Amino acid sequence: MESALTLRTTVPPELSDEGLVLHHVSVFEVEFGSGAIDTMRRAMREVATQTGVSFDDVMLGLSGHMYWVENTGKLVCVIPLPENDLYLEVPEDFWRIRERSRATH
């Protein structure tokens, strides 16, 4: 079991392995643990500082590019930046798909 978020400058193998099943997920479908979200925010502030891109723009970019790797349980987030994209890998024990209400309206 992995125990940390990983920020990469190269494309993770999961995004190019045709044998793995990827699901694009919305930020509204994902729920992070409190420790994971705090770590993500710190990492994204550092990315913003180092790249000159605003924190809000980094977070907005991150929120639109999330992929659940079914085979590994990881969530891979692509952070689009002007020079080179970054990739944030979130282990399966740091996040989950948000439960949807089963109530009928």
Side-chain angles (χ1 to χ4, degrees), residues 48-83:
T49 299
Q50 290 185 12
T51 61
V53 176
S54 75
F55 174 76
D56 290 342
D57 287 344
V58 170
M59 292 301 288
L60 182 62
L62 172 75
S63 68
H65 300 86
M66 297 180 166
Y67 302 91
W68 166 41
V69 184
E70 186 174 323
N71 309 61
T72 65
K74 279 184 190 175
L75 182 68
V76 178
C77 307
V78 181
I79 306 162
L81 296 170
E83 297 296 317

Side-chain angles (χ1 to χ4, degrees), residues 37-53:
I37 198 70
D38 290 342
T39 301
M40 287 176 69
R41 284 188 180 126
R42 281 195 306 274
M44 296 308 100
R45 278 190 182 84
E46 184 64 26
V47 166
T49 299
Q50 290 185 12
T51 61
V53 176

